[in-house]
Amino acid sequence: MIHLNGVTKIYKNNESPAVDNLDLHITRGETCILVGPSGCGKTTTMKMINRLVTPTQGTILINGQDNREMNPVEMRQNIGYVIQEIGLFPHMTIADNVATVPREKKWPEKKIQTRVDELLHLVGLDPAEYRNRKPASLSGGQRQRVGVARALAADPDILLMDEPFGAVDPITRTHLQNQFLRLQEELKKTVVFVTHDIDEAIKMGDTIAVMREGHLIQLDSPDQILSEPKDDFVSALIGGNRAIKRLNLVKTREVIDNMPIQTLRTNSPVDTARKLLITSQLPAMPVVDENNRLIGVVQKHILSALKEQAEIADIMEKNGCVVDKGATLGDALSTMLNYGERYVIIVDENYSPCGIISFTYLLELMKNDVA
Amino acid sequence: MAARLLSYENIGLLTKQHIIMVLISSIAAILTAVPLGILISRERFARVGAIIENIVNVAQTVPSIAILALFFTILGLGFNTAVFALWLYSLLPILRNTYAGITGVSKGVVEAAQGMGMPPLRILTLIELPLASPVIIAGIRTAVVVNVGTATLATFVGAGGYGDLIVTGIAIQRLPLLLTGCILSALLAIICDHILAVVEKNRVVEYQEVKY
Amino acid sequence: MCIYGVAGNSFVGYVTANSGKILQLSLEHCLLVVVAVLIAIVVGISLGILISYYDVLAPAILYVCQIIMTIPSLALFGLFLPLFGIGFKTGVITLVLYCLLPVVRNTYVGIAEIDPSIIEAARGMGMNEASIMTKIKLPLAWPIIMAGIRTAVVMVVGIAAIASVVGAGGLGVFIFRGISQWNINAVLVGAIFVSLLAIVFDQVLKLVENRSQV
C-alpha cells in the first residue's frame, strides 16, 4: 500500500538528515506506528507520505504510484489526516469542519450533511447536539474525536495520524484509543500513526517502527518488540514493567470469549447470588435491568459478611468497576487499581455485561509471562 | 464672513469633502494594502515580508503632517495631494495588520487544511483570511481614524474639509467657526471609530475566543 | 520671520543657509515634546496607579483617554486656543492629553499583569502599600510603562509639528510657512527633520526599553 524506498530528508541549514535512507513498507489494512523520541524523524516521515514535506532523496509509492507524480491536492483529499487538536478550524462549526474534504470534492450538499451525521454518530457525538457548535465549546477529547471524524469524511483508504491523542488527559486518552481500535476493526484503514508514547504504540499498532535520529532501528510486531528488543535503545524505550506492558497486547474480549456470564436482577434471591458466587469463584457479579444493561455490582465479600436477610437492590453497588470489551488487559488492570477493586466487569456496546476479569487472573497471567 | 462659512450649505460641502477624502483614500488603502499584505505573508516571500515589516514599522513613526508636506512638494496644492497622502499613510497600519494577522494564524490549522488537500487559494479565503479578519479590521480602524484626523490638515494643501473651519476660525478669531470645525471633525472620528470597533468586536467574538 | 534666507534653489543650499534656524526650531520642537511627555508621565502614571486600586474607574478613564486620542489633533489645538491663548502653553496642554492614553493604559496593564503571588509574598513579609508600589509593582511594570511612553513620544513628535498653527513653534513652522509661501525647500526641511526626529526618538527609546527589560 505505502512503500518508502531509500527516503532521505535534509532540511535547509541542517547538516544531519532528519530522515536518513529509510525503507518502510506498510501493507493494506495495517496500523503502523512510528515511535521514537522527539526529533527522531517520525513526523517528517509521515508528512512525506502526503507531501507536506518533500523528500530530498528516494521515492514514496502509494498503491504503486510515485507520489511525486500525483496532484498533491487530489492525493491529500484521499488521505485522511489527523493532527493534534489545534488542527480544527476554530471559526467553523463542527459540521463544517467535518464536511471540509467532501466540500472540496464537491459532493452534493445533501450527501455531505448525511455523511456528517453518520460520522458524528460513528465517533460517539450526538449530531443534534454538536453539529452547530464551535470547537472552542468542546472538551479536548471531543475535539479529538471531531478530528478523527473529519479525517474519515471522504472515506479515504489511508489515515495519517500525528500524535492524535497527545493533548488530552490519560483517562480520556484511553477512551479515545479504545474507540479508535473498535472503529479500525470495522473500517480496516491503512493507518500511519505517529507517537512518542511506547505504551500507545504497543496498544494501537499492528507493526511498530522504532526510529532514532532519522534511522529505522526496529520494525516488528508489538509482541516482538517487547520480547526481543533489538538493542539497548529499544529496551530503554520500552522501559521496565514489561510484564505489565504485555497486558496491553491482549484485548479483554479475547480472554472472556466463551466465558459464560451469570447475571443477577434486582429482585433475585440473595441465596441464589451467594451460591452462584461461591461456585464460580468470581469476586463479584453484575446486576442488570430488564434490557440486560448493567446497573450495578454485587461483591462477594459484602455478600459473605451479610448477616440478615436483604434484597439485591440494597447490597448492590452502582457504578462498579467497568471497562469496554475493546479495552486491553492493561486498561482493565489500571481501572481496577484506580477503583481499588479486585474485579472488573467487561461490557459490550449495549452496556450489557459479557465477562468478568479478576485481579487474581491478571496476576497469574503476568506470572506465567515472566516465567 | 463667519456667518457665510457657517451656513448649512458650506458645512454640508466641507462635510462632503472631508468624508470623500477619507473614503477614497481608505478604500484605496484597503484595496492595495490587503493584497500586498497577503502577498508578503506567502511563504516564498517570507524574507521580503520580514524586511517590509521592518520598513513599515519605521515608516509608521513618520508623522502624517510630514507625509502630507512631502506630497505637497511633489503634487502641489489640491484635493489629489491630500488623497494620495492619506492613502499612503493609511497603507501602513493595514499592511502591517494584514501581515501580522495572517502570519499569526496557527500553523497547525493551516497545515491541517493543506494535509486534507485544500488548494492554497481556498486555504487563504476559507481559513487564513477569516481567522485574520479581526486583526485586519483593527488595522483598518486605526487607518480610518487617523485619516479623519489627517484630513483636517488637508486644508493646508487646499483640499477643504473641516480643517477649513478650524484654520479660518483661528485666523479670524471666530470661536463659533473654530468650535464647529473641531466638534464636527471630532465627532466624525469618534463615530468611525465606534462603528469599526463594533465590526471588529463581532469578528473577535465569532472567531478568536478560541483558546486551546 | 517670513523667509529664512534665500540661498538658491538647491535643498542642500537651503539647509546650510538656514542651519541656525533649523537647529533653533528643532530644539523648540524637542522642548515641546519633552515638557509634554514629562507632564504626561507624572499625570499618566498617577492615573494608572489610581485606577489599579479602583478598578471600577478603569473603564471610564481609559475610555475618556481613548476618545481624546481619536479627536483630530488640529481640532484639539483649536479647542484649547480660546482657553489658553496663542503660544507654547496651548501646545503643551494638547500634547499632554494625547500622551495620556498610552501611559495610563500601560501603567494599568503593567500593574494588573504582575503575578499576584509576588505581591502576596511582599505583603506577607510586612511591606506596607506604599513600598509595595514603589519597590515591587512599579519596577515590575516598568518595561510595559516604558513601551507606553515610547508610543506617546513618537506620536507627539508628529502632533507637535501641528502646534505651530497655534503659535507654539517647532518644526511645523517650516511646513506651514513653506506651504503658504510656496517654498518647497522649507516644506521639505520641515517634513524630513520632523520624520528624523520621530525615528531617532523611537530608536533611542527602544534601546532604553530593551535595557529596562533585562
Side-chain angles (χ1 to χ4, degrees), chain C residues 194-205:
Chain C
V194 164
S195 307
L196 282 178
L197 211 55
I199 293 170
V200 168
F201 265 115
D202 188 42
Q203 296 302 323
V204 169
L205 286 172

Side-chain angles (χ1 to χ4, degrees), chain C residues 48 51-52 55 105-116 119 137 141 144:
Chain C
I51 60 176
S52 79
D55 258 344
R105 185 185 50 200
N106 283 32
T107 306
Y108 176 67
V109 171
I111 292 176
E113 279 182 354
I114 297 171
D115 183 353
I119 292 159
K137 288 184 178 174
I144 298 177

Side-chain angles (χ1 to χ4, degrees), chain C residues 61-73:
Chain C
I61 292 201
L62 290 174
Y63 183 75
V64 171
C65 294
Q66 164 108 46
I67 291 283
I68 295 173
M69 276 267 269
T70 48
I71 298 173
S73 41

Side-chain angles (χ1 to χ4, degrees), chain A residues 44 122 135 173 233 236 265 342:
Chain A
T44 303
L122 191 69
R173 187 179 313 150
F233 172 73
R265 301 287 294 270
R342 303 181 64 82

Side-chain angles (χ1 to χ4, degrees), chain A residues 18 20 35-37 39-42 209-218 231-234:
Chain A
D20 194 2
V35 68
C40 72
K42 53 191 193 296
V210 182
M211 293 183 68
R212 181 173 67 158
E213 287 165 9
H215 295 277
L216 184 61
I217 306 290
Q218 186 172 5
D231 60 9
D232 292 347
F233 172 73
V234 182

Side-chain angles (χ1 to χ4, degrees), chain A residues 150-167:
Chain A
R150 186 172 73 169
L152 290 170
D155 203 16
D157 294 332
I158 300 173
L159 268 185
L160 304 181
M161 308 178 87
D162 188 0
E163 304 257 4
F165 310 132

